[in-house]
Amino acid sequence: MSVESQSMINVSEDLKFNLSNSRISYIFQVSAEGVLEHLFFGQRISASHGLSAGPRREFRGCTLEFQSIENYNLDDTPQEYPWYGTSDSRQPAVHIRNGEGNSTSTFLFKSHRVVQNKPELNSLPSARGLDSETLQIQLLDSVTDILLTLNYTVYEHHDVIARSTHFSNNSDHAVTILNAHSSCLDLPQGDYELLHFNGSWAREFESERMVVPKGRFTIESTRGASSNAHNPFLVLMSKGAGEQNGDVYATTLMYSGNFSLSTEKNEFESVRILAGINPFNFQWVLEPGASFSTPESLQVFSNQGLDGMSQVWHRFVKEQVSPLQFNDVARPTYLNSWEAAYFDVSHGKILELADKAKQFGVEMLVLDDGWFVGRSDDTTSLGDWFSDAEKFPEGVEETAKQVKAKGLKFGLWFEPEMVNRKSKLFVKHPEWLIQVPDRRFSTGRYQNILDLTRQEVIDYLFDRLDSFLKSGMIDYVKWDMNRVMTEVGSLALPSNRQLEVPHRYMLGLYQLLDRVTTKYPNVLFENCASGGNRFDLGMLRYMSQGWVSDMCDPVGRLAIINGASHLFPLSTLASYIGPVPNHQNGRFTSVKMRQDVGFFASARGLSLNEEDLETSREEIEAAIELYKKTAQDMVGGSFHRLKYTNNEVCWQLISSDKRRVYVGYYHILSAPNLPYRRARLIGLDVSVGYHLVSSGEVFGGDALMHLGIDLPYVDAMQHQEGRDYNNHLDKGDFASNLMVFERV
Ligand code: DGJ
């Protein structure tokens, strides 16, 4: 019998927990033996009776029985937070080596409570808890006296369940946590497919879709950053799910370090999804009286396919994750000095670029790498965060002041976590590097990582950043990070804590980010890591936007934006129009193609030198004007993927008031005599008309949604000027068209 209330969390007398908003339900129960059994995650179910964790089947072959309970085998039981050693042979959510040296445990139900909203996670980023309720379940291993608190938050307006686990050692023995996942989701037998995002530098967010295999499949990072090799985001879906159809279960982590997300399909064909800190090369010593919190895991269910899932993530990231003060603020157009000048920056050059930026209507000048003492190339000076006196005789703050006097905003690049061994900081503090004794350093881009497990390093970096930000002259910070961890160790920690370094590093980084962004809430922070080498919700909790990739060729960037958009809203994406030939892959593309692809981001700008700017002056001025005019819609609108193939991409953005619709169509390689294609638009008002700005032609909202629009075509053989509105693409390769519709 349910205890009926208006609460989103209902607990029945027989300990069934039903977490439901008006669209989704997450339900589990305590078995007679005290095991927390998963019952359901999916479309809303109002009552929990009639649900079962599955039949307890008679003894089959060599199947084991948990604690000699007849026909109760944990291998065949969906669970909420499984442990190791007592008849479930799948990967456990928790694995602890106890004081006796063995790793068997049994975490059984102890108590529960419901709290309004969402308690903050200790020292880790977590989603906000606006309009939410949290269920806390305590599980106890009575032999070791380790107490786990499982947190489940359900939101009224978001189809997301947020989860984390808190460990407390109430015994008088130290234990070692070997594996502490944030969440486990045991889905019933089914034909599932999975989608994950992977890549490398300059080709982040490529995607792979596959049938969930038997056995384990894992995406992970062991690099000390969430990485561009695998994004901490895994999508499971019913077979054949598409953009608009199918059941989708997606998981991501609010974590930026070593993670693991895995599926395991066992002999009974149920699928276990585990998400958390990567157990590889991880241990955490939990002394008596100490506690440990896992990062937060976020789970989404949508019965409306991948687009339905993305809409849930996009709104959730904006409303519950990224800094609220910038969410609905149009981002300034900018000129970034990187591909315009690389390390060759100076007071005079920046002022010249600022003048150019101003002439082109750009709103912010960003001084990227190369401004601090001795930084003439990438071999030197990281760590020495003082202005280079030759390039900036009166300090970059003075340059910033003069740029701002021209009516522009000013942005500055930092890479706080790094040090070059050619630096004053390294000479003074060689012990401040992540390192292991007697091993040679592996370097990446000639740099090493500072040991953020040390409080004095965090304090030094805070002080250096603060010394610039307190001038009040810096409106935007690009926070870069250009190498991952090797020879992982800290000279400040004892030997039994060396495998804690990667996670302790993240705790240090989050502390630093928290201090800086709390002190300077009006500075716009952009997350960067050689592009998207650490592009995750952990970083976006502190920073409103991210440099998703160094790939600035528009063709290369199509896949990146398409992939990233599965989880990240446009409000978190930054882009710029870069030079041709493109510096990453050498391709020549038109300003139009570069502008039309760069259009789908909230932070938009240029990274062009004076010559590049002059070459296409009118087109670039027009691009900046368009970017400014549409800036508000980019942060507030809803983005949809209409089409994505190897040769064609079509995206749509509809403004939050539904008055303006932008459709970008990209055709990569031309081909003759192609079939006509249509795309059906999404989310329009069916009862009104929309006019295509370029032609004035009016289309019914219902027609655009149900019939669709004809996509422009490459018609290389028969192109006749002025044949119809804008239904031709440029002849040849790398063509694009941006259609703007306004509600009549
Ligand atoms: C890597 C970034 O991704 C680039 O945009 C640029 O900021 C360079 N670092 C500067 O060193």
Side-chain angles (χ1 to χ4, degrees), residues 371-429:
W371 58 267
F372 46 100
V373 64
R375 182 72 167 176
S376 48
D377 57 35
D378 57 9
T379 64
T380 175
S381 302
L382 288 170
D384 297 343
W385 298 106
F386 300 89
S387 299
D388 185 281
E390 274 177 34
K391 294 177 179 176
F392 297 92
E394 294 175 78
V396 289
E397 298 93 321
E398 178 55 29
T399 309
K401 195 170 159 195
Q402 294 186 27
V403 168
K404 285 169 77 77
K406 295 179 191 291
L408 295 168
K409 290 177 185 289
F410 183 81
L412 193 58
W413 177 96
F414 290 93
E415 193 177 356
E417 300 156 70
M418 298 291 153
V419 61
N420 287 113
R421 275 178 285 153
K422 218 164 117 192
S423 69
K424 294 197 176 84
L425 184 67
F426 177 71
V427 171
K428 194 165 166 202
H429 285 297

Side-chain angles (χ1 to χ4, degrees), residues 338 368-369 413 445 478 480 482 528 530-531 547 550 576:
W338 182 238
D368 207 284
D369 201 346
W413 177 96
R445 216 191 179 202
K478 180 172 172 185
D480 206 347
N482 287 303
C528 174
S530 302
W547 183 239
D550 278 348
Y576 58 57

Side-chain angles (χ1 to χ4, degrees), residues 132-148:
S132 72
E133 287 169 22
T134 299
L135 171 65
Q136 299 189 307
I137 302 280
Q138 290 198 319
L139 303 179
L140 179 70
D141 178 46
S142 58
V143 173
T144 55
D145 241 348
I146 303 295
L147 185 71
L148 305 182

Side-chain angles (χ1 to χ4, degrees), residues 692-705:
L692 183 65
V693 172
S694 57
S695 68
E697 196 174 347
V698 175
F699 299 84
D702 48 4
L704 287 172
M705 286 181 56

